[in-house]
Amino acid sequence: MAGEREPVRAALDLEAERIAEALVFASAEPVSEAFLLERLPRGVDVRAVMARLVRLYAGRGVNLVRVEDRWAFRTAADLSFVIRRDETESRKLSRAALEVLAIIAYHQPVTRAEIEEIRGVQTSRGTLDVLMEAGWVRFRGRRRTPGRPVTLGTTPRFLDHFGLEEIRDLPGLEELKGAGLLSGRIPPDFRIPVPVSADDLSEDEDPITQLDLEELGLLTPGGGEGE
Amino acid sequence: MAGEREPVRAALDLEAERIAEALVFASAEPVSEAFLLERLPRGVDVRAVMARLVRLYAGRGVNLVRVEDRWAFRTAADLSFVIRRDETESRKLSRAALEVLAIIAYHQPVTRAEIEEIRGVQTSRGTLDVLMEAGWVRFRGRRRTPGRPVTLGTTPRFLDHFGLEEIRDLPGLEELKGAGLLSGRIPPDFRIPVPVSADDLSEDEDPITQLDLEELGLLTPGGGEGE
Amino acid sequence: MAGDISQSATPMDRLWQDSEARGTTEPALVIDVGGFEGPLDLLLHLARTQKVDLARISVLALAEQYLQFVESARRVRIELAADYLVMAAWLAYLKSKLLIPQQVRQDDGPTGEEMAATLAFRLKRLEAMREAATRLVNRNRLGRDVFARGAPEHIPERNGASFEANLYDLLHAYANLRQRQAVTQVTIERRKVWSLVEARELLTTMLGEISDWTALQHYLLDYLPPADRVTATASAFAASLELVREGKLEIRQEGAFQAIYMRRGPGRPGGATGE
């Protein structure tokens, strides 16, 4: 019996703490005492509750802090080295990038000109760069046609990120329709290609050589194919 | 030696707890163990750290929960009454969508044809789309059978949303499996009902007699599934 | 409208009344056939009115109830979706099998009892999924009962990728793009013609279950609105020829203008089921 406070009182206090804790945690903004008071059991001393919580969290990785006259949880200041706020926050892929990535996935091996033909707009340089940087797209080879355009394809990392075992697992026309992603009202000659395995070059492709990469200005140390 | 851990060890453990706590607390999405491991002091057992934290927060207003191999802080379910926000229930699932979701969850990996077989009706366009958009359902891959149909399954987000640690925790999963109700075939011990002839209805059966649908106002223009 | 259900409720009244308790989000007016999620749903609903364990329902009584329902709908000229009609045809067939005294057992095809068991199993499985769905939706849900950190401080990147995108985003973008580029916006008017594809689907569905000689069209046509019969006959016939060619169907006819009998052929049927 550690109790100076009677058991009923102690239970009430714990309940008040739990509620305050949950409210502050779930709120998008620091929470005012008035807000808490409204939701805490009647007759509870908000100040006292918050003071107890401050002590409870004092040594933890997360602290309860007062910002002006509002309350918020913040990760402990001494742990900022693990939180590393400067770290590149994950960015959402732009719609253009998503489109280009999808075209490369479905239509590979595909040239840049072909991508533009499918999209009907020019692809800005940065878009492909982003996809390359993410490690999802790579140069596959060169098409054996005039001008020997470079062909693009996806990487194993792409499969990994999007949870596909192989590129052929991408859903086809019927499945996209079935999932409601494509409307039923598409022309009868509408086709979705069955993606060609990312690994083997197709008949009209030549492998990319060292020379090509240099020419493309892409021979960055450690870049290229990677592991 | 059931006793105290050595002081150094204890300090390291506390530090690991604090870091893990801060990292998980900082994020709204579940944080993977791999991510934690990368940032914890070398040689720390992540699972053990998390287990201690789970216990520590068990009685509090905010709990540490596991979703597959990820961790997240969530407000305690019993406090729903104080924090519950009604306006968040904007996306109400249709009955069809909910049913499809349950079938996907319990039968995964499952093809669309199988879902339709179970429900006895075509899945209208948009139903799957809604579930995918919510991030609960995803294309998993393809069945290694003729035609290679695409299979569907649930996502970690589904588990997180419905408060499940893993798929095995789906309510009633074992019983349903045991009863053979998650299979495409009739279980061998499924009781074959003895058909009674039409003339002798059993006691608790009412024959449906003269149905005056007009009177019931059943005259609705072309019901049906529609899309 | 569904509000005033008196004690003198007819069975049908009670039937609809029950549907209110189905936990639907739709308004109380469930009289519309569209309120049912297909024929199996309707059957399940009828089965519940028998108020016994699903494994012990009288499939025969159920079939009759269903057929009467379809019959009544037809009388008041309600258009039922093809799914419902196929089910009616199937049940009519099942009924005939159940009522005809057991003949010497032939090797081909399930007996009436086996078909009845299949139906009972499907109903039970559907009901189980319904219950599972209810339990699922009533769990403490994130964003409704349970909450995440309201003010996240930092979102750790997933598996080291610094770009966020999931498969759904990808497919969504692709489908949208391709659709936009598919310039010809074809608007297909809803015709009163049964396409070959439709007819083929219907036949395959039914044939998946039926493996002895049946005058299938006879069952099917019985349940079609008169206006649809000609087109349905033509399409079903054409589709059946196609199925014969593929070895999925066998056809027999005693003589000119006689009934056409069909049964499942040696080829793999439709592939609607399968593990």
Side-chain angles (χ1 to χ4, degrees):
Chain A
M1 257 216 292
E4 308 89 56
R5 289 174 286 160
E6 340 152 22
V8 180
R9 185 78 222 159
L12 189 69
D13 281 349
L14 176 61
E15 190 64 5
E17 277 175 28
R18 293 182 73 233
I19 293 173
E21 215 167 44
L23 285 170
V24 174
F25 171 84
S27 170
E29 265 146 43
V31 167
S32 72
E33 282 176 10
F35 177 88
L36 292 171
L37 193 61
E38 229 172 70
R39 281 157 184 83
L40 287 179
R42 208 169 279 273
V44 160
D45 177 352
V46 187
R47 280 285 160 121
V49 169
M50 297 321 272
R52 285 204 302 281
L53 283 177
V54 168
R55 274 200 303 279
L56 185 69
Y57 283 94
R60 309 294 321 170
V62 174
N63 307 146
L64 183 62
V65 297
R66 219 183 137 127
V67 188
E68 287 167 5
D69 62 341
R70 287 156 188 270
W71 294 94
F73 278 113
R74 292 278 184 264
T75 46
D78 68 311
L79 292 180
S80 59
F81 73 97
V82 262
I83 301 286
R84 293 223 298 267
R85 267 164 248 271
D86 55 320
E87 214 165 79
T88 48
E89 287 223 355
S90 60
R91 281 172 284 166
K92 257 219 161 347
L93 220 52
S94 72
R95 197 180 76 163
L98 270 176
E99 282 177 8
V100 171
L101 179 60
I103 292 170
I104 292 173
Y106 271 100
H107 298 252
Q108 64 186 304
V110 64
T111 67
R112 203 166 149 156
E114 285 160 353
I115 295 173
E116 296 187 344
E117 196 190 306
I118 296 170
R119 288 188 68 217
V121 282
Q122 291 240 317
T123 306
S124 75
R125 227 215 123 91
T127 308
L128 265 184
D129 288 346
V130 160
L131 297 175
M132 297 254 178
E133 191 194 325
W136 293 336
V137 162
R138 68 187 176 96
F139 295 112
R140 285 174 53 115
R142 278 179 178 276
R143 181 76 48 82
R144 279 192 213 126
T145 51
R148 308 208 332 118
V150 168
T151 54
L152 297 157
T154 54
T155 61
R157 192 150 166 194
F158 166 84
L159 295 179
D160 194 39
H161 180 91
F162 290 95
L164 299 164
E165 245 173 69
E166 47 177 321
I167 198 70
R168 288 195 308 160
D169 286 353
L170 280 172
L173 178 63
E174 281 313 311
E175 289 131 356
L176 289 176
K177 264 206 253 172
L181 287 164
L182 270 178
S183 93
R185 292 162 28 159
I186 40 177
D189 59 346
F190 190 87
R191 293 276 174 281
I192 279 183
V194 178
V196 176
S197 165
D199 311 321
D200 4 289
L201 292 172
S202 64
E203 275 181 16
D204 61 351
E205 271 180 299
D206 285 327
I208 285 260
T209 61
Q210 199 71 349
L211 208 75
D212 292 323
L213 289 173
E214 266 164 33
E215 189 187 319
L216 289 162
L218 276 153
L219 206 69
T220 44
E225 264 299 273
E227 338 91 77
Chain B
M1 214 171 289
E4 308 87 63
R5 289 167 282 158
E6 322 149 39
V8 180
R9 184 80 221 160
L12 187 69
D13 279 348
L14 177 63
E15 190 62 7
E17 274 176 31
R18 293 183 72 232
I19 294 174
E21 207 170 27
L23 286 171
V24 177
F25 214 93
S27 168
E29 300 287 315
V31 174
S32 74
E33 273 173 17
F35 180 88
L36 295 172
L37 193 62
E38 239 171 62
R39 281 149 181 85
L40 288 179
R42 209 167 278 274
V44 160
D45 177 351
V46 189
R47 280 274 160 143
V49 170
M50 300 320 276
R52 286 203 302 278
L53 285 174
V54 167
R55 276 198 303 277
L56 185 69
Y57 282 92
R60 309 297 314 174
V62 173
N63 306 145
L64 183 61
V65 302
R66 180 171 73 83
V67 183
E68 283 179 335
D69 61 345
R70 289 154 194 268
W71 295 91
F73 277 109
R74 300 286 180 246
T75 59
D78 68 311
L79 296 179
S80 159
F81 73 100
V82 244
I83 329 180
R84 190 165 180 153
R85 296 172 202 146
D86 290 328
E87 76 268 26
T88 46
E89 246 210 292
S90 50
R91 188 172 44 209
K92 198 136 199 180
L93 281 185
S94 73
R95 194 163 73 100
L98 186 59
E99 203 169 292
V100 170
L101 178 63
I103 291 170
I104 292 173
Y106 284 80
H107 287 79
Q108 63 188 308
V110 64
T111 67
R112 201 160 66 95
E114 285 159 358
I115 296 172
E116 297 187 345
E117 212 262 327
I118 293 171
R119 298 186 64 225
V121 75
Q122 292 235 318
T123 311
S124 65
R125 269 174 227 295
T127 304
L128 273 179
D129 191 38
V130 163
L131 297 174
M132 292 206 204
E133 207 184 340
W136 294 338
V137 162
R138 65 186 174 97
F139 290 115
R140 281 177 55 126
R142 285 180 185 271
R143 182 76 49 84
R144 305 271 176 267
T145 54
R148 306 198 355 109
V150 161
T151 55
L152 297 157
T154 53
T155 60
R157 193 156 180 184
F158 163 83
L159 297 176
D160 191 20
H161 183 89
F162 290 99
L164 299 160
E165 282 190 359
E166 39 202 310
I167 278 301
R168 278 196 312 226
D169 296 337
L170 279 170
L173 184 67
E174 282 312 310
E175 297 94 280
L176 288 172
K177 219 183 254 167
L181 288 169
L182 298 185
S183 104
R185 300 232 164 80
I186 309 191
D189 57 342
F190 188 78
R191 271 171 299 169
I192 294 178
V194 187
V196 277
S197 88
D199 313 311
D200 36 87
L201 290 166
S202 65
E203 272 178 26
D204 47 5
E205 279 176 280
D206 288 322
I208 292 232
T209 49
Q210 192 54 34
L211 307 174
D212 197 338
L213 296 172
E214 243 161 9
E215 192 186 283
L216 284 165
L218 217 159
L219 217 71
T220 47
E225 252 292 275
E227 30 204 271
Chain C
M1 186 180 231
D4 59 18
I5 291 149
S6 59
Q7 320 88 311
S8 67
T10 66
M12 213 49 185
D13 270 332
R14 260 178 276 142
L15 201 157
W16 301 124
Q17 186 184 1
D18 272 4
S19 24
E20 279 182 80
R22 295 190 305 168
T24 61
T25 54
E26 294 108 13
L29 185 68
V30 242
I31 287 161
D32 172 13
V33 186
F36 286 104
E37 293 279 343
L40 213 52
D41 185 26
L42 174 54
L43 269 174
L44 182 57
H45 186 67
L46 291 170
R48 276 192 199 149
T49 62
Q50 292 192 19
K51 294 197 176 68
V52 286
D53 184 326
L54 264 187
R56 302 167 56 98
I57 50 166
S58 158
V59 169
L60 193 55
L62 190 59
E64 302 226 303
Q65 286 177 5
Y66 185 94
L67 293 176
Q68 283 189 43
F69 171 86
V70 173
E71 189 65 35
S72 318
R74 185 159 64 174
R75 221 174 30 239
V76 293
R77 283 195 244 120
I78 288 178
E79 215 180 287
L80 288 176
D83 290 349
Y84 289 85
L85 303 175
V86 173
M87 179 59 87
W90 191 84
L91 287 172
Y93 173 75
L94 170 61
K95 194 176 125 187
S96 73
K97 283 210 91 167
L98 287 174
L99 289 179
I100 292 166
Q102 194 74 301
Q103 294 157 347
V104 188
R105 196 182 157 146
Q106 293 154 312
D107 288 313
D108 53 36
T111 62
E113 284 73 17
E114 281 159 356
M115 288 172 66
T118 306
L119 181 63
F121 169 70
R122 291 188 67 194
L123 290 174
K124 201 167 165 71
R125 187 175 57 180
L126 180 61
E127 189 178 54
M129 282 302 105
R130 290 268 155 85
E131 282 161 9
T134 310
R135 284 210 258 174
L136 201 56
V137 83
N138 288 331
R139 288 181 66 84
N140 287 319
R141 286 162 62 183
L142 187 65
R144 189 188 69 173
D145 307 291
V146 161
F147 294 85
R149 176 91 188 267
E153 288 170 69
H154 168 261
I155 294 138
E157 69 270 47
R158 280 171 283 178
N159 24 324
S162 48
F163 292 96
E164 214 183 299
N166 60 35
L167 188 57
Y168 177 76
D169 298 335
L170 187 74
L171 298 175
H172 196 71
Y174 184 66
N176 271 354
L177 166 77
R178 291 297 310 279
Q179 199 147 301
R180 260 197 336 267
Q181 298 307 105
V183 270
T184 28
Q185 262 291 349
V186 190
T187 316
I188 299 159
E189 207 183 312
R190 225 187 147 81
R191 322 139 299 167
K192 272 271 94 182
V193 173
W194 281 46
S195 71
L196 268 181
V197 180
E198 274 174 318
R200 197 192 148 95
E201 257 174 36
L202 293 188
L203 283 177
T204 333
T205 316
M206 294 187 66
L207 285 165
E209 320 257 3
I210 297 173
S211 56
D212 56 355
W213 290 110
T214 318
L216 206 51
Q217 296 210 27
H218 163 72
Y219 281 108
L220 194 56
L221 293 185
D222 243 13
Y223 287 95
L224 291 180
D228 280 12
R229 286 187 195 165
V230 175
T231 161
T233 312
S235 302
F237 185 67
S240 65
L241 292 182
E242 200 180 294
L243 287 166
V244 168
R245 190 175 51 79
E246 291 166 24
K248 290 172 181 164
L249 180 73
E250 290 181 302
I251 287 190
R252 196 182 71 188
Q253 190 182 24
E254 308 281 283
F257 303 111
Q258 301 277 309
I260 299 173
Y261 286 87
M262 305 177 179
R263 72 171 178 189
R264 189 167 66 204
R268 255 179 64 85
T273 44
E275 284 292 273

